[in-house]
Amino acid sequence: MNVRLVLSGALTAGLLVPVGLAAPATAGAKPAPRGDVVSYVDPLIGSSNGGNTYPGAVRPFGMLSWSPTTTKGDQTDTGAANGYQYDTTRTRGFALTHVNGAGCHPGAAGDVPIFPHVGAVTSSPTADTTDATYASDFSHDDEVAKPGRYSLDLANGARTSFAATTRAGVGTITFPKGKQANLLFRTSNSLNGSEDATTRIDAKARTVTGSVLTGGFCGRRGNGGGSNKFSYYRLYFTAHFDRAFTRTGTWVDDSVRPGTRSASGGEGYEKGAARAGRGSGGWVGFTSGRPVTMRIGISYTSQKAAEANLKAEVAPRATVKKVAAAGTKVWDRQLRRIEVAGGSRAKLTTFYTALYHSFLQPNITSDVAGTYLGADRKVHRLKRGQKAQYGNFSGWDQYRAHTQLLALLEPRVAGDFAQSLLNLSRQNGGVWDRWVHVNGPTRVMNGDPSAPTLAGITALGVDNFEVKAAYDSLVKQAIKPNAAGLSDYGCPGQCAGMRPNLKEYLRLHYAPQDNCHCWGGAAETLEDSAADYGLAQWAERLGNRKQARYFDDRSGWWRNTFNPAATPGAGYQQARKADGSWVEPFDPTSDLGFAQGSSATYTWMVQHDVHRLSRLMGGDAKAAARLDEFFQTGYDPTNEPGIHAPWLYNALGQPWKTQKTVRDYMNRVYGTGPGGLPGNDDLGTMSAWYVWGALGMYPQTPSRAEMLLSSPTFPTAWVHRKGGPTITVKAPGAAAGTVYVRSATVDGRTWRRSWIPSRVLNEGGTVTVRVGTKPTSWGSRPQDVPKDR
């Protein structure tokens, strides 16, 4: 999901002057020395401008992410969707879990904020509904964010520093001398509230333990009829301290209870006055002036598992410095999945931060012992061969760019992720949910994104999961109606049914706006067409040609919502009623019949069928001219259904416009600093788009491994598939001004096509792209353009 950012006029293909010009780097340059890659990552990128990233300490795919919960004066709200907004410089704690870049406000998680309070606890922190007392201002001058480590000095005098492992972390807090030093565990105060929470203090053992029962993804949404106000996971935590407690206390709602050692009570899932003043937590006190070190572990299955996770990952005498140093090495190895040579420091920072954000999800949800919480809220154990269970699948977003990058760089993780989604579907009555948070089906967005996701993963050679079982299950979801598909509960935004009103869809060959039980009929038709194309491609690879032909036919049903007479001058995607009539009045800029987008954007959402779309528009030349106009009059680079649009020129025989348009957007809407993302990162989707653009390639469709070619931004890039081959991408003379492809070779042989076959990614090879400052006709011949089938 995305906050809209509409750019127009200057971003016409071929018209925008690149910004941030840098001198060309030499093709013979070497990648950065060990350890240096991490220094290019700035976790604060995307923390403003609606990027909704978080800057806290986290490891690759980590369960624990220790980061601030900022406040604008409402304890039931936060500074941004995921707890942190750069221009909101007041915090009420450092929470243990986060989701990178989710679009609704608040998004999800933000569990168990821990706050160093300087002064006595004389009233209930939950009663501090405006965060006036139990919160502190801070300055970015006192903030340091690095991969795996985060520190912040607060205006109240407390100094904090945190480092993370996968399921645990260590933090050091130093309180100022001469004032009471108390550490608050705001156990019930997850971003969207909570159903229940417990806090227990053991002064003898010097531990604080507890849990929060929560969920409520997108809990403040005005629509959905309460469909988002439910719990689906309990997060357990255990915190061990290196110093004795000088005092203890707890609170429940507005009652403060000094000297007590246990409390329970949730906040509910309402907002504002309906939730304010509810909840529970506890605090422990220390002698001021000396640092306090806390080791903390978390789990979604049990208190015992949280303890085991902590024991396995953080040694009893671990320090922030040692854990952070180990994290630097882990992140260096992870980021070196792609090594680049050349480029300015600003470009390296933008690139490696995008890659960093791409590796924040999916998130491990299983314990070191292999246990995990299922969609049925029961504890399960990993299947033989599965290394980890993963959660957090922003399907509608991620299937368009992120999951393919994951499969390319981390095939083992991608396979375990696919198995994880299959596991969750089995625990959810066979239903593959569109948006999974931790273990919970949230029903957010529309379409059937698991189909193209897993099809794309298998296209990139990933097979370490139950491939046939997953395929069969997704086929069943695509052909057998489910009772929930006739429900309007949660609509729009979180409609209960996956493949809603499937019987009617199969009868009409489109989703009717007046009987869809979905967010928008035209959008649902397009999404299901893309999903069916994924199943067709997957069936072909499995040798099931009958099903391949069936789903290939269904993948063309998007034509049934394309109205060639939508406007006097052009055809568009348009919502349609069950009786066949078009929904009127029609406006290409309207979102009627669409989900978080307009017809103007969704009309191009046929990556798998570009040539049929072009014929409906009057041919490639007319389609390209319409695409030119689209970029002139309001293209939204943050809107997932259109993020592939700059690459469509390759299929239309004008690849030089892809090269220019992609580079223009990379320069204009991505960069360094907090505003360096063009909108919600959406669990790494927008970051992954940038990584692909920098490599000069992009998936032709989400469910295949062929790549469209453009101009790389670095003279050399080495793409290392973990456990597999290396793909080398060379672009001698690459620089900000050398936008256009002059010629190309693949493994030393002349290459005139504007795409490369899947074998290059799956078997390795060298792609050399010679670039220049002027457009050329390379890749424009009819035989050189990518084919849809």
Side-chain angles (χ1 to χ4, degrees):
M1 292 175 293
N2 265 305
V3 173
R4 297 285 190 82
L5 171 65
V6 178
L7 305 178
S8 60
L11 284 172
T12 306
L15 297 183
L16 182 65
V17 177
V19 297
L21 292 175
T26 61
K30 297 180 180 180
R34 293 290 173 189
D36 284 6
V37 169
V38 176
S39 70
Y40 294 123
V41 176
D42 179 6
L44 288 165
I45 288 178
S47 61
S48 69
N49 193 35
N52 293 336
T53 60
Y54 63 86
V58 63
R59 290 278 180 94
F61 314 112
M63 178 189 293
L64 181 141
S65 47
W66 218 340
S67 194
T69 297
T70 57
T71 175
K72 292 183 177 181
D74 179 356
Q75 193 185 91
T76 71
D77 199 359
T78 182
N82 296 296
Y84 186 95
Q85 173 73 17
Y86 190 81
D87 61 6
T88 303
T89 54
R90 186 170 179 81
T91 181
R92 63 172 178 265
F94 300 88
L96 303 176
T97 61
H98 294 83
V99 176
N100 170 45
C104 52
H105 182 123
D111 301 317
V112 194
I114 302 170
F115 179 69
H117 176 61
V118 178
V121 179
T122 58
S123 60
S124 168
T126 299
D128 182 26
T129 58
T130 62
D131 289 327
T133 302
Y134 300 104
S136 177
D137 294 337
F138 65 88
S139 167
H140 294 297
D141 293 338
D142 300 317
E143 180 179 39
V144 177
K146 298 179 180 180
R149 184 173 188 174
Y150 180 82
S151 63
L152 181 64
D153 295 349
L154 302 178
N156 67 9
R159 302 173 62 187
T160 69
S161 185
F162 308 100
T165 63
T166 300
R167 303 170 182 86
V170 59
T172 296
I173 301 97
T174 303
F175 291 91
K177 293 181 179 179
K179 297 183 179 180
Q180 219 181 91
N182 294 298
L183 196 63
L184 278 57
F185 284 76
R186 313 182 78 136
T187 313
S188 67
N189 194 220
S190 298
L191 289 182
N192 286 312
S194 56
E195 180 179 337
D196 186 32
T198 62
T199 308
R200 300 181 186 87
I201 301 168
D202 187 331
K204 183 177 180 181
R206 296 188 300 197
T207 63
V208 179
T209 59
S211 67
V212 58
L213 177 61
T214 186
F217 183 80
C218 287
R220 294 177 73 90
R221 290 176 65 94
N223 57 10
S227 64
N228 43 26
K229 297 173 184 176
F230 68 99
S231 305
Y232 41 86
Y233 71 88
R234 185 182 285 273
L235 181 80
Y236 298 85
F237 70 91
T238 181
H240 292 238
F241 293 86
D242 68 341
R243 290 177 51 200
F245 306 151
T246 58
R247 68 192 69 85
T248 65
T250 65
W251 68 87
V252 177
D253 296 339
D254 62 355
S255 174
V256 62
R257 309 182 304 182
T260 60
R261 297 182 181 179
S262 65
S264 62
E267 299 180 4
Y269 293 119
E270 300 302 327
K271 58 185 179 181
R275 176 177 147 201
R278 296 181 58 192
S280 65
W283 77 90
V284 291
F286 302 93
T287 303
S288 62
R290 292 174 53 199
V292 179
T293 296
M294 168 177 52
R295 298 181 303 115
I296 194 163
I298 62 174
S299 169
Y300 292 106
T301 64
S302 69
Q303 200 74 63
K304 183 178 179 181
E307 195 73 44
N309 290 343
L310 174 61
K311 183 178 180 180
E313 295 188 358
V314 179
R317 297 187 180 275
T319 64
V320 170
K321 183 177 180 180
K322 288 181 179 179
V323 173
T328 297
K329 292 180 180 179
V330 170
W331 271 113
D332 183 77
R333 290 193 298 269
Q334 189 68 52
L335 294 167
R336 286 183 185 277
R337 296 269 73 80
I338 303 179
E339 296 184 287
V340 298
S344 66
R345 182 166 188 88
K347 291 301 181 185
L348 288 167
T349 296
T350 304
F351 177 80
Y352 275 112
T353 303
L355 192 57
Y356 165 81
H357 283 139
S358 299
F359 286 138
L360 293 183
Q361 56 282 303
N363 298 96
I364 290 173
T365 60
S366 54
D367 304 313
V368 292
T371 47
Y372 70 93
L373 185 65
D376 54 5
R377 291 179 59 178
K378 297 178 181 178
V379 176
H380 298 263
R381 186 169 292 277
L382 296 176
K383 289 184 173 293
R384 186 173 183 178
Q386 186 182 2
K387 298 292 186 182
Q389 176 75 9
Y390 291 89
N392 296 345
F393 174 51
S394 173
W396 185 84
D397 308 293
Q398 287 178 286
Y399 90 83
R400 305 172 199 269
H402 178 266
T403 52
Q404 298 90 341
L405 187 66
L406 179 71
L408 176 66
L409 302 178
E410 286 286 351
R412 178 82 215 188
V413 172
D416 280 349
F417 181 43
Q419 183 67 50
S420 299
L421 295 178
L422 175 60
N423 294 343
L424 294 171
S425 73
R426 285 168 168 165
Q427 298 148 11
N428 190 37
V431 175
W432 297 67
D433 195 77
R434 293 181 289 260
W435 215 121
V436 175
H437 176 219
V438 185
N439 62 303
T442 70
R443 306 182 293 271
V444 170
M445 299 309 297
N446 66 328
D448 188 10
S450 294
T453 293
L454 270 70
I457 286 173
T458 59
L460 282 157
V462 177
D463 61 3
N464 59 306
F465 67 102
E466 296 177 73
V467 176
K468 185 62 166 55
Y471 170 80
D472 289 342
S473 180
L474 283 163
V475 165
K476 183 178 179 180
Q477 180 157 294
I479 64 175
K480 186 175 180 180
N482 188 294
L486 297 177
S487 171
D488 284 323
Y489 184 63
C491 286
Q494 291 179 259
C495 300
M498 306 296 117
R499 296 277 189 165
N501 202 352
L502 180 58
K503 183 177 180 180
E504 190 76 340
Y505 182 78
L506 296 177
R507 182 180 75 87
L508 296 173
H509 294 187
Y510 66 90
Q513 181 69 15
D514 55 341
N515 193 25
C516 177
H517 307 290
C518 67
W519 194 331
E524 190 69 34
T525 302
L526 284 158
E527 292 287 353
D528 288 351
S529 295
D532 288 341
Y533 182 76
L535 292 175
Q537 294 295 303
W538 196 355
E540 189 72 33
R541 289 191 293 273
L542 290 173
N544 191 334
R545 293 186 176 179
K546 182 178 179 180
Q547 285 193 338
R549 288 192 297 270
Y550 170 69
F551 282 110
D552 189 67
D553 177 68
R554 282 177 48 162
S555 75
W557 290 0
W558 62 268
R559 290 172 293 166
N560 297 319
T561 47
F562 184 89
N563 182 0
T567 68
Y572 283 92
Q573 280 289 322
Q574 186 173 348
R576 197 171 187 178
K577 297 179 182 178
D579 64 6
S581 63
W582 300 102
V583 174
E584 299 287 357
F586 175 74
D587 181 345
T589 65
S590 171
D591 63 358
L592 179 61
F594 301 94
Q596 287 196 347
S598 66
S599 173
T601 294
Y602 270 92
T603 293
W604 299 103
M605 208 202 96
V606 285
Q607 283 171 272
H608 65 285
D609 226 353
V610 182
H611 294 101
R612 277 203 281 195
L613 175 65
S614 131
R615 288 194 293 272
L616 289 172
M617 290 181 170
D620 288 356
K622 289 186 177 180
R626 278 195 60 177
L627 200 55
D628 293 344
E629 182 182 4
F630 177 56
F631 290 118
Q632 287 177 333
T633 58
Y635 171 60
D636 180 1
T638 75
N639 196 14
E640 270 82 0
I643 59 175
H644 66 283
W647 298 84
L648 293 179
Y649 287 114
N650 279 31
L652 300 176
Q654 298 183 16
W656 66 89
K657 290 184 178 178
T658 284
Q659 297 149 27
K660 181 61 175 173
T661 309
V662 168
R663 189 68 66 87
D664 286 348
Y665 281 107
M666 291 177 68
N667 288 334
R668 178 58 63 92
V669 300
Y670 290 86
T672 59
L677 279 174
N680 308 151
D681 200 27
D682 283 321
L683 281 75
T685 299
M686 304 312 295
S687 290
W689 189 95
Y690 184 89
V691 173
W692 285 119
L695 293 174
M697 61 178 69
Y698 191 79
Q700 180 181 339
T701 75
S703 48
R704 286 167 53 172
E706 291 85 356
M707 294 286 149
L708 302 174
L709 275 180
S710 185
S711 53
T713 60
F714 295 103
T716 309
W718 297 268
V719 181
H720 305 294
R721 301 198 71 183
K722 189 171 183 179
T726 292
I727 302 100
T728 303
V729 181
K730 295 183 177 181
T738 54
V739 173
Y740 299 103
V741 178
R742 294 166 50 213
S743 63
T745 63
V746 174
D747 293 332
R749 299 178 63 180
T750 298
W751 194 262
R752 294 187 173 88
R753 297 174 180 173
S754 63
W755 59 279
I756 56 175
S758 59
R759 65 170 173 81
V760 176
L761 274 71
N762 286 323
E763 300 172 16
T766 299
V767 179
T768 301
V769 180
R770 299 196 177 276
V771 293
T773 59
K774 296 181 180 180
T776 75
S777 62
W778 172 88
S780 61
R781 299 182 306 172
Q783 63 266 40
D784 294 334
V785 304
K787 304 298 185 287
D788 294 335
R789 289 169 174 78

